[in-house]
RNA sequence: UGGGGUGUCGCCAAGUUGGUAAGGCACCGGAUUUUGAUUCCGGCAUUCGCAGGUUCGAGUCCUGCCACCCCAGCCA
């Protein structure tokens, strides 16, 4: 797709097909207005990113507009902090809503007037049943409900009661306003659904102006109407609510009637995407907060170092359909790596193993010229310091090569130091547990680029950092949050918090080449042969750099 | 046993009037490579939940099954 408001381009999904047809038939006079309507009761996650990209993307493509609307009708669960977080995340993701920033609470007065009109028309009534009684008379999936004894109150009495509800004359739960539809409907949402409830709670925006609050089904369709939304995109679980959405607008005979269209929500392996569960992780301290880099939240991924471009690409790759599915983590990972591919590279050792070069002059040091990106010359070059004492990756040495394809270091084996010399492991100094604590190697001084043995072939190349020049750094290695593909639905009855990955965060003390210590906060870089890291601005300190591992390099070896 | 949905390769997903199964991810080869990365070639559904039927011809039409998801908040 070109994204230039072209109506005739090939549609990306069934929703765009519907819009093209609507535009062709003149259903909405060619207008396309959407909205992203989050409830400010938690942070946005990657599932919301899908909806954001869809709603804003469709508006962009068809030359329409998209509102950012806070669905704030339940003051008990919402807060201004969440509102701010949501705005920041949508903006970071790359979308702008301009003046189209609204709140369902902006419409409370209009919603109230519409409610009186419903009463006036005899289509809504004040019900004085208790919560339990309403539940008991709602019926079941297979049995119809029974009408409320208050269903036939007069318009006058309903109006009086409803006005007194608003005036605060009744305690919470004493009455509710209900739509008068059909208690025998096979669709439970149509069995005289509650429209308003009394709730003495301080609203983050309207304060104590109201003690009655409208329910979602009543609020959403009218907010859509008020904003002139044409296509109201939501997830599949709201499909059963569409008849009610239409009923409210039809009953009120609104001059404009938005079309609700449902699509399937995103499910991702090895994580959970429900606000309830994410909230539990935060509330019970399993993570450091909604923006913990391990969280599938937009804020978490931002702190981890993922770029918005990667998330947008992911959303276009997974598509939009009506079928339930679970996307593999590898699909997201691919998008993140693709996006990071152009970042500069450097050398850093995550898990250090000391190496002493026995035939390298003790007082000597050299600076090797190295490209910042092997395929992107424009990224320039830098000098990497080298001396007779180095750190290499612990994983790059093994006493016994597992097979003939092994290309790293082992006793007697040779390997090239990236951008440097070829070295051979002559001796291994071991500790009490028999583990290697230091390697003694000899170096071929003619093997560097330009030297007589520069073309000598050795099986592998490993990264390293000069022990004398290297800068100690905190390396935060992040991994998947759960050990099970679908932690939200474990077959053995375990709770999702029982399958948290104990190694989702491993903090290491490593060494990075000087160049890395001089990077600006917010920089992203690839530690060669290891992965991409992010210098998280929030953790920037002059004393010791802190890097978050965004994601590892693809590894076809292990 | 009510209502609403969905079933195309391990995962996501095209397939719009029936004409003989796109693409991406993953995976498997092989080339290049001072990152076991990247890049690059090549492979990867005789088959579209199942069973019948209509048709010269069906993933696309009809019938009947089966599986899975959602709904009984004064949550959204």
């Amino acid at each position: 797709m070109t994204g230039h408001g072209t109506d005739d381009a090939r549609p990306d999904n069934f929703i765009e097909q519907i819009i093209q047809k609507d535009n062709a038939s003149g259903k909405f006079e060619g207008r396309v207005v959407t909205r992203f309507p989050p409830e400010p009761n938690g942070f946005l996650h990657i599932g919301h990113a899908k909806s954001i990209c869809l709603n804003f993307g469709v508006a962009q493509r068809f030359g329409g507009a998209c509102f950012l609307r806070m669905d704030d009708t339940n003051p008990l669960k919402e807060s201004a902090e969440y509102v701010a977080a949501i705005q920041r995340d949508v903006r970071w993701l790359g979308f702008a809503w301009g003046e189209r920033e609204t709140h369902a609470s902006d419409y409370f007065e209009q919603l109230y007037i519409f409610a009186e009109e419903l009463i006036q028309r005899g289509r809504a009534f004040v019900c004085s049943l208790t919560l339990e009684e309403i539940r008991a008379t709602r019926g079941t999936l297979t049995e119809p409900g029974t009408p409320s004894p208050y269903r036939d109150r007069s318009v006058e009495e309903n109006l009086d009661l409803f006005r007194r509800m608003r005036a605060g004359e009744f305690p919470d739960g004493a009455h509710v306003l209900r739509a008068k539809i059909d208690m025998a409907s096979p669709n439970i949402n149509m069995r005289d659904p509650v429209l308003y409830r009394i709730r003495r709670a301080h609203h983050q925006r309207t304060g104590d102006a109201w003690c009655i609050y409208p329910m979602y089904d009543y609020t959403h369709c009218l907010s859509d109407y008020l904003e002139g939304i044409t296509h109201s995109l939501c997830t599949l679980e709201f499909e059963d609510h569409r008849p009610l959405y239409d009923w409210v607008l039809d009953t009120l005979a609104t001059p404009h009637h938005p079309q609700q269209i449902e699509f399937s929500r995103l499910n991702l392996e090895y994580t959970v995407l429900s606000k309830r569960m994410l909230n539990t992780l935060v509330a019970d301290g399993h993570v450091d907060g909604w923006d913990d880099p391990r969280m599938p939240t937009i804020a978490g991924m931002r702190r981890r170092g993922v770029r918005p471009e990667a998330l947008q690409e992911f959303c276009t790759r997974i598509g939009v359909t009506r079928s339930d599915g679970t996307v593999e983590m590898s699909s997201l990972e691919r998008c993140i790596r693709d996006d990071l591919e152009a970042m500069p590279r450097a050398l850093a050792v995550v898990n250090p193993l000391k190496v002493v070069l026995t035939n390298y002059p003790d007082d000597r040091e050299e600076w090797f010229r190295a490209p910042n990106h092997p395929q992107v010359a424009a990224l320039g070059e830098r000098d990497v310091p080298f001396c007779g004492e180095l750190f290499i990756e612990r994983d790059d040495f093994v006493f016994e090569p597992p097979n003939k394809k092994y290309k790293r270091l082992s006793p007697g084996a040779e390997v090239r130091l990236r951008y440097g010399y070829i070295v051979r492991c002559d001796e291994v100094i071991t500790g009490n547990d028999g583990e290697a604590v230091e390697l003694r190697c000899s170096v071929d001084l003619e093997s560097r680029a330009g030297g007589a043995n520069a073309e000598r072939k050795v099986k592998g190349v490993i990264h390293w950092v000069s022990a004398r020049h290297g800068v100690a750094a905190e390396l935060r290695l992040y991994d998947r949050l759960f050990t099970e593909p679908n932690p939200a639905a474990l077959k053995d009855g375990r709770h999702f918090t029982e399958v948290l990955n104990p190694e989702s965060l491993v903090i290491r003390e490593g060494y990075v080449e000087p160049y890395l210590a001089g990077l600006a906060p917010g920089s992203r870089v690839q530690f060669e042969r290891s992965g991409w890291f992010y210098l998280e601005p929030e953790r920037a300190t002059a004393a010791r750099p802190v890097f978050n591992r965004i994601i590892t390099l693809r590894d076809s070896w292990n």
Side-chain angles (χ1 to χ4, degrees):
Chain A
M1 79 175 244
T2 57
H4 288 85
T6 50
D7 259 47
D8 51 336
R10 192 164 187 285
D12 280 341
N13 53 57
F14 79 98
I15 290 175
E16 292 191 352
Q17 287 179 9
I18 290 173
I19 293 176
Q20 284 186 346
K21 282 181 188 134
D22 289 344
N23 282 174
S25 71
K27 179 171 181 180
F28 295 111
E29 294 84 45
R31 281 177 302 117
V32 175
V33 184
T34 56
R35 100 270 91 113
F36 171 59
E39 180 189 12
N41 66 341
F43 276 45
L44 263 24
H45 53 67
I46 191 168
H48 292 109
K50 174 181 180 179
S51 178
I52 293 168
C53 290
L54 207 216
N55 279 291
F56 280 92
V58 146
Q60 245 167 256
R61 177 167 190 175
F62 291 91
C66 180
F67 283 77
L68 172 59
R69 179 168 78 224
M70 296 301 153
D71 215 341
D72 54 355
T73 58
N74 185 357
L76 255 27
K77 298 183 174 177
E78 299 147 7
S79 76
E81 289 63 51
Y82 288 138
V83 170
I86 288 169
Q87 294 172 342
R88 171 169 20 91
D89 291 346
V90 173
R91 196 174 297 122
W92 178 79
L93 233 202
F95 299 99
W97 52 89
E99 299 303 298
R100 294 173 298 284
E101 175 181 323
T102 58
H103 304 254
S105 54
D106 295 340
Y107 311 129
F108 281 175
E109 188 60 43
Q110 293 168 82
L111 258 20
Y112 175 82
I113 292 171
F114 277 129
E116 284 206 354
E117 186 178 336
L118 237 27
I119 291 173
Q120 221 93 238
R121 293 181 186 235
R123 311 305 293 274
F125 66 100
V126 171
C127 179
S128 306
L129 251 24
T130 63
L131 195 159
E132 294 69 33
E133 292 170 327
I134 287 181
R135 180 181 301 142
T137 54
R138 184 152 29 223
T140 68
L141 294 178
T142 55
E143 303 159 328
T146 55
S148 162
Y150 303 100
R151 200 172 200 263
D152 297 315
R153 282 215 258 230
S154 69
V155 168
E156 294 65 37
E157 186 181 5
N158 282 142
L159 225 37
D160 174 61
L161 252 17
F162 188 51
R163 285 172 179 164
R164 289 164 63 194
M165 277 171 67
R166 173 179 184 172
E169 290 186 29
F170 309 111
D172 288 12
H175 309 281
V176 291
L177 181 70
R178 288 228 255 170
K180 194 184 291 184
I181 307 180
D182 177 12
M183 288 306 289
S185 172
N187 181 342
I188 295 178
N189 294 302
M190 298 299 267
R191 318 238 263 228
D192 292 4
V194 172
L195 267 23
Y196 269 90
R197 74 282 218 192
I198 300 173
R199 195 100 114 191
R200 281 182 179 65
H202 187 80
H203 188 282
Q204 47 97 10
R205 272 200 123 232
T206 60
D208 300 311
W210 296 83
C211 66
I212 58 172
Y213 291 94
M215 299 288 287
Y216 165 84
D217 287 308
Y218 177 70
T219 306
H220 208 86
C221 54
L222 287 171
S223 297
D224 281 349
Y225 152 62
L226 260 8
E227 291 172 1
I229 302 300
T230 54
H231 304 271
S232 183
L233 316 181
C234 63
T235 43
L236 251 27
E237 64 269 30
F238 291 103
E239 183 150 27
D240 289 341
H241 295 241
R242 196 171 64 221
L244 178 51
Y245 181 108
D246 291 332
W247 181 91
V248 172
L249 297 183
D250 287 342
T251 303
L252 253 11
T254 56
H256 166 67
H257 191 135
Q259 173 66 53
Q260 174 176 307
I261 302 172
E262 311 82 18
F263 62 94
S264 55
R265 64 190 306 159
L266 169 68
N267 291 303
L268 228 205
E269 283 190 340
Y270 295 102
T271 191
V272 292
L273 253 31
S274 90
K275 275 190 188 168
R276 194 203 105 233
M277 289 188 222
L278 292 175
N279 200 313
T280 297
L281 293 177
V282 175
D284 295 353
H286 291 111
V287 295
D288 290 331
W290 285 94
D291 63 349
D292 183 298
R294 293 167 293 183
M295 292 283 269
T297 52
I298 292 176
M301 299 183 89
R302 174 177 58 235
R303 285 194 60 191
R304 172 93 162 243
V306 171
R307 301 204 310 164
E309 288 84 350
L311 258 25
Q312 285 188 29
E313 175 61 17
F314 174 69
C315 289
T316 92
R317 286 191 197 179
I318 58 176
V320 178
T321 67
R322 290 174 60 83
S323 59
D324 296 307
T326 302
V327 177
E328 293 178 335
M329 193 53 115
S330 61
S331 188
L332 205 212
E333 293 175 335
R334 176 62 183 210
C335 294
I336 294 173
R337 292 191 178 106
D338 280 356
D339 177 60
L340 259 15
E341 182 57 31
M343 297 295 117
R345 285 96 206 272
L347 303 179
V349 171
V350 169
N351 195 188
L353 172 58
K354 182 79 170 290
V355 170
V356 172
L357 302 179
T358 53
N359 63 332
Y360 194 83
D362 208 52
D363 55 351
R364 186 176 171 190
E365 79 170 42
E366 294 177 83
W367 290 74
F368 300 154
R369 199 76 180 149
N372 289 330
H373 192 299
Q375 283 87 225
V376 184
L379 252 26
E381 304 180 319
R382 68 185 188 290
D383 291 312
V384 186
F386 179 84
C387 72
E389 286 179 44
L390 317 167
F391 286 120
I392 65 166
E393 206 68 69
R394 240 186 156 81
D395 288 349
D396 283 336
F397 171 79
V398 75
F399 285 99
E400 284 296 334
N403 56 48
K404 57 283 140 208
K405 299 188 73 176
Y406 183 79
K407 19 197 323 195
R408 280 116 90 150
L409 215 47
S410 61
E414 278 191 317
V415 78
R416 178 180 288 283
L417 297 175
R418 180 71 160 164
Y419 302 126
Y421 302 109
I422 289 174
V423 296
R424 181 178 49 243
C425 176
D426 302 315
E427 186 186 351
V428 182
I429 296 178
T430 58
N432 297 127
D433 309 331
E435 85 285 6
V437 295
E438 181 182 312
L439 264 32
R440 308 220 135 220
C441 303
S442 48
V443 48
D444 174 353
L445 278 333
E446 286 304 312
S447 60
R448 232 172 64 72
N453 299 332
E455 301 309 307
R456 249 185 79 204
K457 292 300 172 195
V458 288
K459 293 172 76 174
V461 177
I462 65 173
H463 56 280
W464 52 275
V465 167
S466 162
R468 280 180 216 150
H469 310 265
V471 178
E474 176 177 321
L475 306 178
R476 303 173 69 82
L477 312 182
Y478 292 105
D479 201 350
R480 54 179 53 148
L481 231 200
F482 295 93
T483 57
E484 292 291 324
N486 187 1
L490 267 7
K491 48 278 155 203
D492 54 16
R494 276 180 301 171
H495 188 64
F496 74 100
T497 53
E498 293 177 67
V499 293
L500 280 160
N501 178 8
E503 303 194 322
S504 58
L505 169 58
V506 173
I507 299 175
R508 300 226 103 111
E509 186 74 21
Y511 290 95
V512 303
E513 60 169 289
Y515 164 77
L516 288 172
L519 251 30
S523 296
R524 293 177 179 79
V525 63
Q526 180 194 104
F527 286 1
E528 296 209 39
R529 301 209 319 130
S530 180
W532 281 275
F533 288 71
Y534 178 57
L535 208 42
E536 192 184 334
E538 289 82 348
R539 293 179 186 282
T541 59
R544 187 183 60 167
V546 179
F547 287 91
N548 286 347
R549 184 174 68 196
I550 306 167
I551 191 168
T552 63
L553 244 53
R554 182 156 166 272
D555 186 1
S556 57
W557 174 245
N558 274 323

